[in-house]
Amino acid sequence: MKPVEISHEELSGLIGLIYESALEDPQWQRFLDRMAQVFPGTGAMLFGHEGERVFPSYVHTGKLPNVLRTVGFEVDFLNVQNIGGLSAMLLSPNGFVGRSKRYVDPASYERSNFYRTLMRPYGYHHFMNLKLDARNDRSAQMTFVIPADPAIEAAIHDPLFETLRLLAPHAVRALKMARALSLARNALSVIGGFLDTIVLPMVVVTGRAEFVFANAAGRRLLAREVPMRVAGDGRVEMRDARAFAAKLREMEGQPVAGGLRVEGEDGPLSLCLTPFRPSLSDVSPLDRDLLQEERLFAIFIGQRGGDAINLGLLRDVYELTAREAEVCGALLAGQSPVQIADGSGRALKTVRNQIQAVHEKVGVTSVAELSEALSVFRTVGAVFDGGAGPPQLTGGGRHAG
């Protein structure tokens, strides 16, 4: 039997199927079925595990025994470093392709119940695992089992390994894209457009500061990159990254509301961090297993009582122009329209028009109502009032890079 050859067109088609899958079972099934056609005689499944215990597979192809597909099983062989077979894969990077020929101890493998009851009776011997992602002692993987027939194995083994190495980064990337879409879809289905009606800027992150989503005011704040931004690697950054990371770690261990105080170019801001747990009812079974320990945190941005109003916050929340925000701040500081005009060098009519625009955007008709409406900013700062207060983050607003 000649070695299997993969054309560029075939490889492109397999990559396309991976991105199309979006973690939905029918699309994953189509990908595995196509792999079985390209590499005849192989079996495959997409599965998750905790420690050495494998969950029932999510999708599968080939003549795999029912226990692999529907019940789950224990992996009882060791790798060449004398570590459990699946635990060893947890230590490898996402996208790693492991071959039983290289990382499994042959004697341990052939003595194992896994091999004697689940592989050998069905005509399989070696296998390959593609690690997709991991959380704590759980991971998601794709495994391909190879027929024991020496001629078939010789024709399939190396081409399958090289193909999986080429597909691996695309599979990992597709998983991340699908997760982002899934979490966004779930959040929208649970709370719909309600997030955008929340006045305060709200940004949701993982415990590793990875950006998940934001409401409308939060998106405007991130666009200004003050006091935080989304970096190129998808993480939310602030100037004092250590203090931010430390606060997230603290909340991972004790998930109660806490916060940070930021001194920036537009004035002081207070950040309230609180656990955020959307329902996972709409995500795929694979992601539900992986993410059940994942914590999300909502960051609300506001101010403490007594702080001068932050003009950037006014722009983020009410979509005021820079001039309108200045006028709003001056009104709240007790200045009259005439004083504002004299101090800014603008015509009194222009200032009155800007005041009218502020009233319309905030939804008020007087300075008293304006002051009361903006008291919502103080709800975040109230987390810290009456105590020693959170640690200070000093420095300018925009990031150096």
Side-chain angles (χ1 to χ4, degrees):
M1 183 174 178
K2 294 182 179 180
V4 173
E5 295 183 0
I6 303 296
S7 67
H8 290 296
E9 292 76 11
E10 186 67 65
L11 183 62
S12 296
L14 290 170
I15 291 173
L17 284 175
I18 279 184
Y19 282 111
E20 181 186 329
S21 70
L23 287 183
E24 299 292 339
D25 285 356
Q27 288 85 349
W28 273 123
Q29 188 70 61
R30 200 153 57 236
F31 169 73
L32 293 186
D33 288 345
R34 184 57 189 154
M35 289 289 287
Q37 293 172 4
V38 175
F39 300 97
T42 59
M45 68 177 185
L46 181 69
F47 70 95
H49 74 94
E50 181 173 19
E52 302 302 318
R53 177 72 185 173
V54 173
F55 310 135
S57 65
Y58 303 107
V59 293
H60 56 269
T61 190
K63 298 178 180 179
L64 296 174
N66 284 335
V67 67
L68 288 173
R69 297 180 295 178
T70 60
V71 179
F73 55 91
E74 295 287 338
V75 170
D76 59 339
F77 57 81
L78 304 175
N79 78 341
V80 291
Q81 282 85 32
N82 210 34
I83 302 174
L86 289 177
S87 296
M89 287 293 287
L90 280 171
L91 302 176
S92 62
N94 294 340
F96 175 76
V97 181
R99 295 176 283 178
S100 58
K101 274 188 174 182
R102 296 288 300 272
Y103 80 85
V104 172
D105 175 68
S108 170
Y109 180 56
E110 293 183 3
R111 287 196 308 266
S112 68
N113 286 329
F114 173 83
Y115 175 70
R116 290 187 292 108
T117 63
L118 301 177
M119 293 288 282
R120 187 173 63 189
Y122 295 89
Y124 296 118
H125 188 197
H126 286 296
F127 62 88
M128 298 181 193
N129 280 0
L130 166 56
K131 181 183 175 185
L132 296 171
D133 197 7
R135 289 290 186 275
N136 299 322
D137 62 346
R138 291 173 171 244
S139 80
Q141 300 185 35
M142 223 184 293
T143 193
F144 293 83
V145 293
I146 302 171
D149 183 289
I152 297 177
E153 181 185 334
I156 286 177
H157 186 278
D158 289 351
L160 176 59
F161 176 66
E162 293 302 325
T163 300
L164 290 179
R165 285 182 60 191
L166 293 171
L167 294 175
H170 299 286
V172 172
R173 194 175 299 121
L175 183 85
K176 290 182 178 179
M177 292 167 57
R179 174 169 301 144
L181 291 171
S182 182
L183 286 173
R185 182 176 64 239
N186 180 64
L188 289 174
S189 68
V190 173
I191 52 183
F194 173 70
L195 287 178
D196 285 345
T197 68
I198 297 175
V199 171
L200 293 169
M202 171 187 177
V203 178
V204 176
V205 299
T206 69
R208 292 173 300 283
E210 297 162 333
F211 174 74
V212 180
F213 61 87
N215 66 353
R219 293 192 294 272
R220 289 190 286 270
L221 179 141
L222 290 172
R224 287 195 306 113
E225 300 189 346
V226 180
M228 61 182 66
R229 66 165 187 163
V230 179
D233 62 359
R235 295 177 185 270
V236 172
E237 288 185 346
M238 291 196 299
R239 181 172 292 274
D240 193 334
R242 290 184 178 180
F244 184 43
K247 178 57 67 174
L248 288 175
R249 286 196 301 271
E250 176 187 324
M251 295 189 67
E252 287 254 272
Q254 188 177 6
V256 295
L260 297 169
R261 183 166 167 79
V262 181
E263 294 292 345
E265 61 186 20
D266 293 319
L269 289 172
S270 293
L271 277 57
C272 175
L273 289 79
T274 183
F276 182 85
R277 183 71 172 171
S279 165
L280 290 177
S281 60
D282 292 336
V283 301
S284 73
L286 186 154
D287 249 4
R288 212 160 39 238
D289 283 326
L290 280 180
L291 294 175
Q292 69 172 14
E293 299 301 325
E294 182 79 44
R295 292 189 186 277
L296 299 181
F297 300 97
I299 305 170
F300 293 93
I301 296 90
Q303 294 194 274
R304 294 180 70 175
D307 286 338
I309 198 69
N310 185 292
L311 302 187
L313 193 59
L314 290 175
R315 294 167 61 187
D316 296 331
V317 171
Y318 295 109
E319 298 186 79
L320 302 183
T321 67
R323 291 288 180 86
E324 289 167 354
E326 290 174 8
V327 167
C328 184
L331 287 174
L332 294 171
Q335 294 185 34
S336 68
V338 173
Q339 291 172 319
I340 296 172
D342 290 342
S344 63
R346 283 172 252 168
L348 180 59
K349 181 178 180 181
T350 299
V351 169
R352 292 191 184 280
N353 288 338
Q354 289 169 341
I355 292 174
Q356 182 62 32
V358 169
H359 286 175
E360 290 176 356
K361 289 182 178 181
V362 180
V364 298
T365 59
S366 67
V367 174
E369 289 181 4
L370 178 63
S371 179
E372 184 174 347
L374 299 187
S375 66
V376 68
F377 294 168
R378 316 298 188 198
T379 60
V380 170
V383 173
F384 313 113
D385 288 342
Q392 297 279 328
L393 301 185
T394 59
R398 289 193 175 271
H399 298 263

